[in-house]
Amino acid sequence: MTKKIIKLTVRDVRFPTSLEQHGSDAMHTDPDYSVAYVVIETDQGMQGYGLTFTVGRGTEIVVCAVEALSALVVGKSLEEIVSDFRGFYRLLTSDGQMRWIGPEKGVIQLATAAVLNAVWDLWARSEGKDPRKLISCIDFRYITDALTEEEALDILVKAQTGKQQRVDQMLKEGYPAYTTSCAWLGYSDQLLKQLCTDALNDGWTKFKVKVGADLKDDIRRCSLIRQMIGPHNTLMIDANQRWDVGEAITWVTRLAEYKPLWIEEPTSPDDILGHAAISKALAPLGIGVATGEQCHNRVMFKQFLQASALQFVQIDSCRLGSVNENLAVLLMAHKFKVPVCPHAGGVGLCELVQHLILFDYISVSASLDNRMCEFVDHLHQHFRSPVVIQNAHYMPPKDPGYSCEMLESSVQTHQYPQGQVWKKLQ
Amino acid sequence: MTKKIIKLTVRDVRFPTSLEQHGSDAMHTDPDYSVAYVVIETDQGMQGYGLTFTVGRGTEIVVCAVEALSALVVGKSLEEIVSDFRGFYRLLTSDGQMRWIGPEKGVIQLATAAVLNAVWDLWARSEGKDPRKLISCIDFRYITDALTEEEALDILVKAQTGKQQRVDQMLKEGYPAYTTSCAWLGYSDQLLKQLCTDALNDGWTKFKVKVGADLKDDIRRCSLIRQMIGPHNTLMIDANQRWDVGEAITWVTRLAEYKPLWIEEPTSPDDILGHAAISKALAPLGIGVATGEQCHNRVMFKQFLQASALQFVQIDSCRLGSVNENLAVLLMAHKFKVPVCPHAGGVGLCELVQHLILFDYISVSASLDNRMCEFVDHLHQHFRSPVVIQNAHYMPPKDPGYSCEMLESSVQTHQYPQGQVWKKLQ
């Protein structure tokens, strides 16, 4: 019995997080964490839930793009889609007219992710996937010079060894996480101290600090956190694209004494060669470069890997074109021997990306070395199956699907601009 | 007396060009040439016209993005904007919330171009610009490792020498152009022959052929055109991103005997390192690589230049963030000694880009070596001041402004979906 998709709805849902400076960084000073929230429905009444994350204004543009893509989805059956998922992926990303306004980047790529996340959610509720089937979801166009289909299959087949052990391990221990919740750029030192104390008490050992707006502030904040967490816990710093290449090298060198594991997004997310120069300059200091949350497609990640421009791959469940494209990046990262440490936080990103990173450990990399997944303790209460964190680890989700179904009451209250929360703020 | 912008309107205007396969290529098989058309109005009743080009579906998304940006423009005076145009440019491209859905790429970048093109049009109608003022329009963020503000100013100051001679020369001879109108992928051999004969009679000496869908077809078409134009005229080929890296090298090698000057868009527009590999492989055959019409910002062009990944820079008046960002690219190209050969065609791209390439010759490069501007003979009749081509040269526009004011009757007839043309097709 086929499942025909007969309806797609998309809503603009925003949370007024800027009121309390949650999520603030050097470039996004007042984010209202938001999503374009997609629900697809089959003729048998099954639903699939998907979303893409945004930070407020402009969400309506992504909603408009999802509506434009909707015509390519509604009327198709799930079976038809997954029997040639690569083809369907390409249909969405390479429509002869719509690709002009991307291609595979920006608004249209975020919209593609929202739609496909819903399709994966629907699919995940119905059956298991073997390596060959997964490979058939990947569009290898433009990446065969770095990873062929045969190599990708080979990686997945090899990782079948020890798979059950890793599943059991994850069910017991969970996947290691780090926290970004302690040190948003807009937080006062006092709040930062308090949150850091709480986090240490809760078992956190890895901490990320936002930097990049003012060097003196950064020195004070990094010094403070390093003091609080001690020499053996892990510190990462994140500049959110604030610097030029030379500036990044100078600035991070000044922060080297606080021993950050990585500098995240030192410069433009498009600057592969710039990241390579920064990587080279910082390597002697033992500081790696991490980037990816605004890396828009597999072609960009391919080059970051080819150019040794990053030492940590930060995939994003909504910036890339859903699971399909994330699979390509996980497999390339494995081939280039670079660890994947996903970007998360926002709204629903933790819920989504936990699936990808568990898959990476269980079915691709089989390693936890230098690997951890970002966690931000925020807005999870709006989801039907929120992430479960135990002792600073992501515990594998048990409900079927891709975990991004929101509570209908939350959606309605936060819909923009007509929801109650926004009406009150006007 | 300041000119306060009090209104911005944007309309979705589409031409059903797919009906006759105009504009068809290996990736865009059925384009309906379209624009998001912007008009800004001052409190004194002056108007500025701007647009960005699209190929049909999805134009409504760009319109939605222009509407979102409108709040950053309406209420400001032209003087306020141009007194810190760099700051205004960054306001539009780096809004703390909207930048997430770019940044500086895709839909939001196209919308930025449409809005800023209208601002430049308004500004162009009122006054001259000296080198220092032009430099102050450029956002050097992320490109200082390739070009500093001082170097940029130095280039413009040096090019003051001989400027008047070049102005006179352009007024007399015009800027050299090449034609893409003869050989769209969807055209029959017979139509191709006829158009080529006509073009030769009209004085054209440089011809571009679309390739990439089928090798045998390409061989036949290239052979046919080379025969018709003879050994001394110039042939370029354009694959519109159809290939992977290895495939591009193999395919173009098979077409080398027809002596193309360049292969355009051999692979993903994001693949800097891929283009570098292709450039290296094709150099011994005397074939250069050209790309840029889907290169979305200065950071990408910077890397293409740094990596020797192209031998011809194809700027686009609407893909990049208007004149501001095109200035940055023209100056970088000059520093790296790579000729600029703009992308044009579509709707209004010729009208816009002629200003940029004339500026390049007169005020930046002072050279015509290996330089020419694309021309497509299409849809010009819808503009108030259409381009003037004489003997295969662009004759400098004489009317004030940026030449993209459309005839109101054309806009109304082609507005999507309510215009008469579209109503008839439904």
Side-chain angles (χ1 to χ4, degrees):
Chain A
M1 208 169 54
T2 61
K3 300 175 195 76
K4 188 173 171 182
I5 298 168
I6 53 164
K7 197 175 155 190
L8 183 155
T9 59
V10 54
R11 284 177 285 179
D12 179 339
V13 183
R14 307 190 192 187
F15 300 88
T17 47
S18 64
L19 296 177
E20 294 172 10
Q21 295 273 298
H22 300 315
S24 56
D25 65 49
M27 295 291 272
H28 311 91
T29 49
D30 62 342
D32 286 327
Y33 278 7
S34 307
V35 293
Y37 181 60
V38 173
V39 184
I40 54 178
E41 203 178 307
T42 73
D43 51 358
Q44 292 152 44
M46 268 188 84
Q47 294 187 314
Y49 302 89
L51 59 80
T52 195
F53 170 62
T54 52
V55 300
R57 283 187 296 281
T59 310
E60 76 280 12
I61 309 170
V62 181
V63 165
C64 181
V66 169
E67 281 163 354
L69 291 174
S70 158
L72 302 172
V73 179
V74 173
K76 292 218 163 45
S77 74
L78 181 63
E79 293 70 17
E80 193 184 341
I81 290 171
V82 305
S83 72
D84 178 22
F85 211 152
R86 181 182 299 166
F88 183 71
Y89 180 80
R90 200 178 275 190
L91 179 77
L92 258 65
T93 55
S94 299
D95 173 87
Q97 296 193 349
M98 267 188 291
R99 81 183 296 280
W100 187 268
I101 62 171
E104 299 186 74
K105 59 178 63 75
V107 167
I108 200 79
Q109 183 80 329
L110 292 165
T112 300
V115 170
L116 287 176
N117 283 343
V119 173
W120 275 92
D121 181 63
L122 190 66
W123 193 22
R125 289 162 193 264
S126 46
E127 54 176 314
K129 286 128 202 90
D130 67 18
R132 207 167 289 274
K133 195 154 206 172
L134 285 172
I135 293 293
S136 80
C137 300
I138 300 174
D139 188 353
F140 285 89
R141 175 180 269 175
Y142 302 142
I143 59 169
T144 53
D145 54 327
L147 182 80
T148 65
E149 188 163 346
E150 296 67 37
E151 289 173 315
L153 184 60
D154 192 47
I155 292 170
L156 289 182
V157 169
K158 276 199 182 128
Q160 297 284 311
T161 312
K163 190 171 163 181
Q164 192 54 49
Q165 277 167 296
R166 293 193 292 277
V167 170
D168 295 342
Q169 180 197 358
M170 286 297 107
L171 287 169
K172 202 174 141 206
E173 300 170 11
Y175 193 91
Y178 73 86
T179 178
T180 310
S181 292
C182 298
W184 294 107
L185 203 61
Y187 284 3
S188 68
D189 286 4
Q190 199 190 344
L191 181 57
L192 194 149
K193 267 192 206 174
Q194 187 207 311
L195 291 170
C196 202
T197 308
D198 294 350
L200 285 163
N201 288 337
D202 289 345
W204 292 93
T205 59
K206 303 177 182 86
F207 301 81
K208 195 163 79 187
V209 183
K210 297 284 179 178
V211 298
D214 181 279
L215 182 56
K216 273 190 196 153
D217 279 353
D218 290 352
I219 291 173
R220 197 188 69 250
R221 288 156 52 87
C222 285
S223 158
L224 182 70
I225 297 232
R226 180 47 88 190
Q227 242 177 331
M228 295 200 61
I229 67 175
H232 300 301
N233 284 322
T234 305
L235 175 71
M236 287 87 72
I237 56 176
D238 182 358
N240 290 87
Q241 313 166 21
R242 185 59 183 254
W243 304 310
D244 282 21
V245 175
E247 198 181 7
I249 295 167
T250 317
W251 197 302
V252 177
T253 302
R254 292 289 305 276
L255 299 175
E257 65 175 295
Y258 308 108
K259 305 275 174 213
L261 175 66
W262 75 50
I263 171 65
E264 182 170 330
E265 291 203 306
T267 189
S268 164
D270 293 342
D271 198 350
I272 297 147
L273 301 179
H275 281 83
I278 297 167
S279 291
K280 207 172 161 189
L282 297 180
L285 301 173
I287 304 170
V289 167
T291 191
E293 74 184 63
Q294 295 199 3
C295 184
H296 51 268
N297 63 32
R298 67 197 179 284
V299 181
M300 295 300 288
F301 270 116
K302 176 186 79 167
Q303 295 174 84
F304 273 104
L305 291 164
Q306 287 172 324
S308 303
L310 42 60
Q311 288 71 52
F312 300 91
V313 166
Q314 299 185 302
I315 55 165
D316 183 292
S317 54
C318 297
R319 177 74 58 180
L320 292 173
S322 190
V323 181
N324 311 67
E325 196 151 31
N326 269 289
L327 287 174
V329 176
L330 292 179
L331 290 161
M332 285 193 289
H334 182 70
K335 183 175 165 194
F336 283 84
K337 301 189 172 56
V338 176
V340 176
C341 298
H343 171 242
V347 187
L349 297 181
C350 300
E351 277 70 17
L352 287 162
V353 93
Q354 62 179 335
H355 293 266
L356 299 175
I357 198 60
L358 282 164
F359 172 80
D360 181 63
Y361 178 58
I362 293 168
S363 302
V364 180
S365 74
S367 166
L368 293 176
D369 284 356
N370 255 330
R371 285 164 170 87
M372 51 188 153
C373 186
E374 184 167 21
F375 177 70
V376 183
D377 194 6
H378 219 105
L379 306 171
H380 302 290
Q381 70 275 22
H382 300 294
F383 288 83
R384 187 165 299 282
S385 305
V387 287
V388 177
I389 299 288
Q390 275 177 20
N391 195 31
H393 284 66
Y394 276 88
M395 300 312 293
K398 303 241 169 105
D399 294 334
Y402 203 5
S403 308
C404 58
E405 181 180 355
M406 298 181 81
L407 300 177
E408 185 56 28
S409 57
S410 292
V411 173
Q412 287 185 12
T413 321
H414 293 86
Q415 237 186 300
Y416 186 87
Q418 70 272 40
Q420 211 183 324
V421 166
W422 292 104
K423 269 198 184 147
K424 267 194 214 158
L425 286 168
Q426 272 148 26
Chain B
M1 209 168 54
T2 62
K3 301 177 194 74
K4 189 173 170 183
I5 298 167
I6 54 165
K7 197 174 155 191
L8 183 156
T9 59
V10 55
R11 284 177 285 179
D12 180 339
V13 183
R14 306 190 192 187
F15 299 87
T17 46
S18 65
L19 296 178
E20 294 172 11
Q21 296 273 299
H22 300 317
S24 57
D25 65 50
M27 294 292 271
H28 311 90
T29 49
D30 63 341
D32 286 326
Y33 278 8
S34 308
V35 293
Y37 181 60
V38 174
V39 184
I40 54 177
E41 202 179 307
T42 73
D43 52 357
Q44 292 152 43
M46 268 188 85
Q47 294 187 314
Y49 302 89
L51 58 81
T52 195
F53 170 62
T54 53
V55 300
R57 282 188 295 281
T59 310
E60 75 279 13
I61 309 168
V62 182
V63 164
C64 182
V66 169
E67 281 164 355
L69 291 173
S70 158
L72 302 173
V73 180
V74 173
K76 291 216 166 45
S77 73
L78 181 63
E79 292 70 18
E80 193 183 343
I81 290 172
V82 304
S83 72
D84 178 22
F85 211 151
R86 180 183 299 165
F88 183 70
Y89 180 81
R90 198 178 277 189
L91 179 77
L92 256 66
T93 56
S94 298
D95 173 87
Q97 295 193 350
M98 267 188 290
R99 82 183 294 284
W100 187 267
I101 63 173
E104 299 186 75
K105 59 177 63 76
V107 168
I108 200 79
Q109 185 78 329
L110 292 166
T112 300
V115 170
L116 286 177
N117 283 343
V119 173
W120 275 91
D121 180 62
L122 190 64
W123 193 22
R125 290 162 193 264
S126 46
E127 56 176 313
K129 286 127 203 92
D130 68 19
R132 205 167 290 276
K133 194 154 207 172
L134 285 171
I135 293 293
S136 80
C137 300
I138 300 173
D139 188 352
F140 284 88
R141 175 180 269 174
Y142 302 143
I143 59 169
T144 53
D145 53 328
L147 181 80
T148 63
E149 190 165 343
E150 295 68 35
E151 289 173 315
L153 184 60
D154 192 46
I155 292 171
L156 289 182
V157 169
K158 276 198 184 129
Q160 297 283 312
T161 313
K163 193 171 161 180
Q164 191 54 49
Q165 277 167 298
R166 292 192 294 278
V167 170
D168 295 340
Q169 180 197 359
M170 286 296 107
L171 287 170
K172 201 174 142 204
E173 301 169 11
Y175 194 91
Y178 72 88
T179 178
T180 309
S181 291
C182 299
W184 293 107
L185 205 61
Y187 284 3
S188 69
D189 286 4
Q190 198 189 345
L191 182 56
L192 193 150
K193 266 192 207 174
Q194 188 206 310
L195 291 171
C196 203
T197 308
D198 295 350
L200 284 163
N201 289 337
D202 289 344
W204 292 94
T205 58
K206 305 179 181 82
F207 300 81
K208 195 162 79 185
V209 183
K210 296 286 179 179
V211 298
D214 181 277
L215 182 57
K216 274 190 199 153
D217 281 351
D218 290 353
I219 291 173
R220 197 187 68 251
R221 289 155 51 89
C222 286
S223 158
L224 182 68
I225 298 232
R226 179 48 86 192
Q227 243 177 330
M228 295 200 61
I229 68 175
H232 300 301
N233 283 322
T234 305
L235 175 72
M236 288 87 71
I237 55 176
D238 182 358
N240 289 88
Q241 314 168 19
R242 184 61 183 253
W243 304 311
D244 282 21
V245 175
E247 199 180 5
I249 295 167
T250 317
W251 197 303
V252 176
T253 302
R254 291 290 305 276
L255 299 175
E257 64 174 295
Y258 308 108
K259 305 277 176 212
L261 174 67
W262 73 50
I263 171 65
E264 182 170 330
E265 290 203 306
T267 189
S268 163
D270 293 342
D271 198 350
I272 297 147
L273 300 179
H275 280 82
I278 297 167
S279 291
K280 207 172 161 189
L282 297 181
L285 300 173
I287 304 170
V289 168
T291 191
E293 74 184 63
Q294 295 199 3
C295 184
H296 51 268
N297 62 34
R298 66 196 179 284
V299 182
M300 295 299 288
F301 271 116
K302 176 187 78 168
Q303 295 173 86
F304 273 103
L305 290 164
Q306 289 173 323
S308 304
L310 42 61
Q311 287 70 53
F312 300 91
V313 166
Q314 299 185 301
I315 55 165
D316 183 291
S317 54
C318 297
R319 178 73 59 179
L320 291 172
S322 189
V323 180
N324 311 68
E325 197 151 27
N326 270 289
L327 287 174
V329 176
L330 293 178
L331 290 162
M332 285 194 290
H334 181 72
K335 184 176 164 191
F336 284 83
K337 301 190 172 53
V338 177
V340 175
C341 298
H343 170 243
V347 187
L349 296 182
C350 299
E351 277 70 18
L352 287 162
V353 93
Q354 61 179 337
H355 292 267
L356 300 175
I357 198 60
L358 281 166
F359 173 79
D360 182 63
Y361 178 58
I362 293 168
S363 301
V364 180
S365 74
S367 166
L368 293 177
D369 284 355
N370 255 329
R371 286 164 170 87
M372 52 190 151
C373 185
E374 184 167 19
F375 177 69
V376 183
D377 194 6
H378 217 105
L379 304 171
H380 302 289
Q381 70 274 24
H382 299 293
F383 288 83
R384 186 165 300 281
S385 306
V387 288
V388 176
I389 299 287
Q390 276 178 18
N391 193 33
H393 284 66
Y394 276 89
M395 300 312 291
K398 304 242 169 106
D399 294 334
Y402 204 3
S403 309
C404 59
E405 181 180 355
M406 298 181 81
L407 299 177
E408 184 56 28
S409 57
S410 292
V411 173
Q412 287 186 12
T413 321
H414 293 86
Q415 238 187 301
Y416 187 87
Q418 70 271 43
Q420 212 183 322
V421 166
W422 291 103
K423 269 197 183 148
K424 268 194 211 156
L425 286 168
Q426 269 150 26

